[in-house]
Amino acid sequence: MQKMNNKNKIFIDKLRSSGLRPTNQRVEISKFLFNRKKTFHFTVEELKNSMNLKRSKKISTATFYNTVHALKSAGYLKEFSLENNTSYYDTNISSHHHFFDNGKVIDIKSDKITFRKLPEAPKGKKIKNVEVVIRLENNN
Amino acid sequence: MQKMNNKNKIFIDKLRSSGLRPTNQRVEISKFLFNRKKTFHFTVEELKNSMNLKRSKKISTATFYNTVHALKSAGYLKEFSLENNTSYYDTNISSHHHFFDNGKVIDIKSDKITFRKLPEAPKGKKIKNVEVVIRLENNN
DNA sequence: TAACTACTTTATAATTATTCTAAAGTATGT
DNA sequence: ACATACTTTAGAATAATTATAAAGTAGTTA
């Protein structure tokens, strides 16, 4: 059984409410990802390194992958890809857009971009979401 | 030296004009990619399989990667990524957008999407391009 | 609370996409 | 034809991710 404290309770509930057993590893990862002021982007490798660095009992690579996938399926993370064959995850799940600047990602709030014209979805389909990527380059 | 015929000449010139030696492999790949009515999307693996299937003398994997990169650098291909850690290449290099429907990609002509509002580029940066992805799901 | 069962974690192996290496081959200028 | 720099190639190496199957744990039941 978990050491239960107030900080953990909210994440335990969050996991339970999505049908995920609140194991120690999942609670720790949730705390690391969601117990902060600002949303952020990460790769699984980055997450693993920054969490395991300060832990005596390491969490395994497979568990990081499993948990990130589970959190994504539960709707707590958004996935996106750059042109380097790595998956990035975003703790900001609200609809928003991105600047891409040589591998660096910067959020653009949803209301900063609006459309004058958008195409219809093909027959039998509907639009799930619209995502804009603005690629940047240096001036001059 | 190449067997030169009219069909090849245009691709040999195209390669030469970008500083790429028109080797047999590059000409064959260019012909396969660009000698067709409609533009299309592919992964390097798909390209390799569909070309090598009908060839007695196979082109090596490394050459497919080298050539696709060279054609991309020369501006003849556009790269994009889905959420499966694979690079896709598009023979349609004109600015345009995409529907993504469960791993399937459908082009959207540039003029089908226009903006009412777009953010400024951060200081010192300028916008290289704006790319819209419309994710689809099944109705009901 | 003890026992049970299904779900999780883990180390490790396997897989996939891609890049690297260095030896053999080829295009191009002279 | 020769020389030289660029290419191709098979195969090894790397990186990100997934699969495997044994050991551990949460939640349920008696």
Side-chain angles (χ1 to χ4, degrees):
Chain A
M1 183 54 71
Q2 299 259 150
K3 276 174 293 186
M4 167 98 77
N5 62 40
N6 282 337
K7 215 171 229 162
N8 286 352
K9 179 153 191 338
I10 187 172
F11 298 111
I12 292 176
D13 291 347
K14 188 169 178 167
L15 289 163
R16 276 227 185 78
S17 75
S18 302
L20 296 169
R21 286 191 182 171
T23 62
N24 254 293
Q25 292 89 331
R26 285 173 176 170
V27 173
E28 291 296 314
I29 292 172
S30 297
K31 228 166 30 174
F32 183 91
L33 292 177
F34 305 118
N35 190 34
R36 52 175 80 210
K37 296 277 188 341
K38 293 180 148 211
T39 59
F40 73 116
H41 310 108
F42 63 93
T43 65
V44 173
E45 201 61 25
E46 289 167 358
L47 174 66
K48 183 183 101 177
N49 291 337
S50 44
M51 284 195 66
N52 275 346
L53 205 66
K54 26 183 143 156
R55 295 173 63 84
S56 49
K57 188 166 184 342
K58 313 298 187 195
I59 297 174
S60 75
T61 303
T63 295
F64 281 107
Y65 277 98
N66 290 341
T67 301
V68 166
H69 287 156
L71 293 173
K72 185 203 163 193
S73 297
Y76 299 125
L77 291 173
K78 259 174 66 169
E79 185 180 2
F80 63 91
S81 285
L82 303 187
E83 269 91 65
N84 60 356
N85 314 312
T86 311
S87 284
Y88 287 77
Y89 295 89
D90 194 333
T91 62
N92 180 359
I93 55 168
S94 74
S95 170
H96 67 288
H97 308 291
H98 292 112
F99 284 122
F100 279 3
D101 182 11
N102 302 306
K104 219 163 101 279
V105 183
I106 305 168
D107 278 359
I108 301 173
K109 287 224 186 72
S110 186
D111 63 3
K112 297 286 184 194
I113 299 181
T114 59
F115 297 90
R116 191 180 303 282
K117 200 164 127 188
L118 271 179
E120 301 265 314
K123 229 184 292 300
K125 303 288 176 179
K126 65 179 176 193
I127 291 178
K128 183 159 56 179
N129 70 60
V130 178
E131 203 178 289
V132 181
V133 169
I134 302 183
R135 262 162 238 279
L136 299 174
E137 61 191 352
N138 292 325
N139 257 334
N140 77 37
Chain B
M1 182 55 70
Q2 298 259 149
K3 276 175 293 185
M4 168 96 78
N5 62 39
N6 282 339
K7 215 171 232 162
N8 286 351
K9 179 152 192 339
I10 187 170
F11 297 111
I12 292 176
D13 291 347
K14 187 169 180 167
L15 288 164
R16 276 227 184 78
S17 74
S18 303
L20 297 169
R21 286 190 182 172
T23 61
N24 254 294
Q25 292 89 332
R26 286 174 175 170
V27 173
E28 290 297 313
I29 292 172
S30 297
K31 230 168 25 176
F32 183 90
L33 292 177
F34 305 118
N35 190 34
R36 52 175 80 209
K37 294 279 189 339
K38 294 180 149 211
T39 59
F40 74 116
H41 311 106
F42 63 93
T43 66
V44 173
E45 201 61 25
E46 289 166 359
L47 174 65
K48 184 183 99 176
N49 291 337
S50 44
M51 284 195 66
N52 274 346
L53 205 66
K54 25 183 144 153
R55 296 173 62 85
S56 48
K57 187 164 186 339
K58 312 299 186 196
I59 296 175
S60 75
T61 304
T63 294
F64 281 108
Y65 277 97
N66 290 341
T67 301
V68 165
H69 287 157
L71 292 173
K72 184 203 163 193
S73 296
Y76 299 125
L77 291 174
K78 258 174 69 169
E79 184 181 1
F80 63 91
S81 286
L82 302 187
E83 270 90 67
N84 60 356
N85 313 314
T86 311
S87 285
Y88 287 77
Y89 295 89
D90 194 334
T91 63
N92 180 359
I93 55 169
S94 75
S95 169
H96 67 286
H97 308 291
H98 292 112
F99 284 122
F100 279 3
D101 182 11
N102 301 306
K104 218 162 104 279
V105 183
I106 305 169
D107 278 358
I108 301 173
K109 286 223 187 75
S110 186
D111 63 3
K112 296 286 184 194
I113 298 182
T114 60
F115 296 91
R116 190 178 305 279
K117 199 164 129 189
L118 270 180
E120 300 267 314
K123 229 184 293 299
K125 303 287 175 180
K126 64 180 177 191
I127 292 177
K128 184 160 56 179
N129 69 60
V130 178
E131 205 177 288
V132 181
V133 169
I134 301 183
R135 263 161 237 281
L136 298 175
E137 60 191 352
N138 292 325
N139 258 335
N140 75 38

